[in-house]
Amino acid sequence: MKEKAIIAMSGGVDSSVAALLMLKAGYECVGATMQLFHNEDAGIAKEKSCCSLSDVMDAKLVSSKLNMLHYVFNFSEQFKETVMNRFANCYEKGATPNPCIDCNRFLKFDAMIQRMHQMQFDYVVTGHYARTEFDTKSGRYLLKKGLDESKDQSYVLYALTQEQLQHVRFPLGDYHKSEIRQIAEQNNFVNAHKKDSQDICFVPDGDYAKFLERFTGKQFTTGDFIDTQGNILGQHKGIVHYTIGQRKGLGISAKTPLYVCEIKTDTNQVVLGQNQELFSDSLIADDVNLISVASLEKPIHVCAKIRYRHPEQPATAWQDENGFLHVKFDSPQRAITKGQAVVLYQDDIVVGGGTICSL
């Protein structure tokens, strides 16, 4: 009997080719597009986001070409609760979230896997550039980088659990993006030349503050810009307009460039400082998920990423008695930001990660 897979199809080229590769590998497949939110609820024109009708139609056209059934799953309530609300709450606390990680965690590899079990399928398949394997020595499923380093997406997948890793497949992990485009062209896929999405799906114009005011119904009050000695430098527009390391859009004249160094939610102040004041050599993370090991009771040497596009940096990592993850870098890193994920690697294997909560 063939193993059965649900292909999470966004309407893009990657998930479309993932479906083709799984069919060629002998799996029985169906396509499924997640309806994550109603564009009008987020104040977005219908054609401007990944939930657009054109994206659904692209997924349906590819599914039809591959003789697959195609479903649309309405996960809008779950998305609002676990992604959009968390996004807003994080910004209100002066942190900077990565909603793509939450979407993967709570929707693509939680809600979708639950639906997989309900349909009595075996796997959920996505177009992520990553790889999985089972390590017989440790008895654990591993998450590994995709072979195309420029497209590797293991960073946004660090929250996958052992149970989830057992039921996911990433067929693009052994390919380069150029090869995927070529496969799509050879099969005359309607989306062979479709551009990759670059923005947060529910904030496609990049104006986070505008979205937050609309979504929460709140007006974020102005407050003081202060320097690291507490001197008032001017007025900010509301803390949700700023993130650590930001230089542009401050509206402050100074002899030397100023950057956002800290956001004080208790006093509604934004601390500005020199570039050198952005560097720190350590962090603490909570909401920890470990993959290659069960725990980090003893310090291990790793390479750590503090942002998706941040180059890995050598560091030492361990957990304390309360489970918090401590990371000590070999050299100071610029603009370590609360709310972002720190992800640990040993070679191409993801050790695990967590959400940065303190420096």
Side-chain angles (χ1 to χ4, degrees):
M1 182 181 295
K2 286 186 177 181
E3 291 187 299
K4 298 189 288 186
I6 297 176
I7 316 298
M9 302 183 73
S10 65
V13 64
D14 292 330
S15 54
S16 297
V17 174
L20 174 64
L21 294 174
M22 292 298 287
L23 287 166
K24 286 187 173 182
Y27 291 83
E28 180 183 334
C29 300
V30 299
T33 301
M34 297 185 296
Q35 177 68 47
L36 297 179
F37 62 91
H38 302 292
N39 295 344
E40 295 86 345
D41 292 342
I44 302 168
K46 289 185 177 182
E47 70 278 6
K48 293 294 186 180
S49 84
C50 67
C51 294
S52 69
L53 179 60
S54 62
D55 287 324
V56 174
M57 288 307 301
D58 285 347
K60 284 189 176 294
L61 286 169
V62 172
S63 296
S64 177
K65 188 176 184 64
L66 297 176
N67 295 315
M68 293 192 316
L69 291 175
H70 178 269
Y71 301 90
V72 176
F73 296 152
N74 185 358
F75 290 147
S76 57
E77 287 302 314
Q78 296 100 311
F79 187 79
K80 182 177 181 180
E81 178 63 29
T82 61
V83 179
M84 298 174 81
N85 281 346
R86 287 169 65 93
F87 180 84
N89 290 338
C90 194
Y91 260 105
E92 289 186 64
K93 294 176 181 177
T96 305
N98 187 323
C100 295
I101 291 175
D102 285 338
C103 184
N104 286 327
R105 179 181 182 183
F106 296 110
L107 277 300
K108 290 175 184 170
F109 304 108
D110 187 355
M112 189 67 91
I113 286 179
Q114 291 180 35
R115 189 64 58 91
M116 175 204 78
H117 286 304
Q118 291 169 1
M119 296 174 65
Q120 297 184 323
F121 273 56
D122 303 294
Y123 300 105
V124 167
V125 178
T126 72
H128 286 100
Y129 288 80
R131 294 174 293 155
T132 61
E133 69 177 49
F134 183 73
D135 179 28
T136 56
K137 185 176 180 180
S138 66
R140 299 182 69 84
Y141 288 89
L142 302 180
L143 174 65
K144 304 176 74 173
K145 296 178 185 177
L147 291 186
D148 187 342
E149 292 186 7
S150 68
K151 295 297 296 182
D152 169 52
Q153 293 171 295
S154 58
Y155 174 87
V156 296
L157 299 170
Y158 83 88
L160 284 168
T161 66
Q162 287 293 300
E163 194 276 335
Q164 290 168 342
L165 285 166
Q166 184 179 356
H167 291 286
V168 300
R169 292 290 183 270
F170 302 124
L172 306 195
D174 293 320
Y175 290 83
H176 285 73
K177 180 72 177 196
S178 58
E179 296 176 289
I180 298 305
R181 291 279 188 199
Q182 186 177 25
I183 291 171
E185 290 170 0
Q186 291 170 347
N187 287 271
N188 297 314
F189 284 176
V190 66
N191 52 15
H193 300 285
K194 191 173 184 177
K195 292 182 179 180
D196 294 336
S197 175
Q198 300 293 328
D199 301 306
I200 294 173
C201 64
F202 54 90
V203 197
D205 61 359
D207 192 340
Y208 304 146
K210 183 178 178 182
F211 163 79
L212 290 166
E213 289 179 347
R214 185 171 55 237
F215 181 73
T216 63
K218 299 177 181 178
Q219 292 294 318
F220 297 96
T221 58
T222 61
D224 293 329
F225 278 126
I226 61 173
D227 63 20
T228 52
Q229 285 74 47
N231 300 306
I232 296 175
L233 303 176
Q235 289 281 296
H236 66 69
K237 297 181 292 185
I239 61 171
V240 297
H241 289 267
Y242 309 97
T243 187
I244 302 301
Q246 181 176 334
R247 177 185 174 186
K248 294 182 179 180
L250 302 180
I252 296 291
S253 297
K255 294 180 180 179
T256 57
L258 294 176
Y259 302 83
V260 175
C261 294
E262 185 181 357
I263 297 172
K264 293 177 173 287
T265 55
D266 55 341
T267 57
N268 192 31
Q269 293 174 311
V270 176
V271 181
L272 305 181
Q274 306 296 317
N275 184 62
Q276 62 267 25
E277 295 175 282
L278 285 169
F279 286 80
S280 177
D281 65 357
S282 62
L283 64 82
I284 300 173
D286 59 9
D287 203 13
V288 177
N289 182 65
L290 298 175
I291 296 177
S292 66
V293 295
S295 63
L296 288 176
E297 297 174 359
K298 297 181 180 179
I300 64 169
H301 199 256
V302 296
C303 284
K305 292 181 70 168
I306 57 173
R307 282 181 293 279
Y308 180 47
R309 294 299 182 188
H310 185 262
E312 295 172 24
Q313 299 295 324
T316 301
W318 69 96
Q319 283 181 288
D320 62 27
E321 63 275 9
N322 296 313
F324 287 95
L325 178 65
H326 295 252
V327 180
K328 175 80 171 179
F329 291 94
D330 290 5
S331 58
Q333 302 300 304
R334 185 182 184 278
I336 299 175
T337 304
K338 296 177 185 178
Q340 289 286 293
V342 58
V343 179
L344 313 178
Y345 295 85
Q346 287 187 320
D347 297 322
D348 63 348
I349 296 173
V350 176
V351 177
T355 303
I356 300 169
C357 62
S358 179
L359 306 186

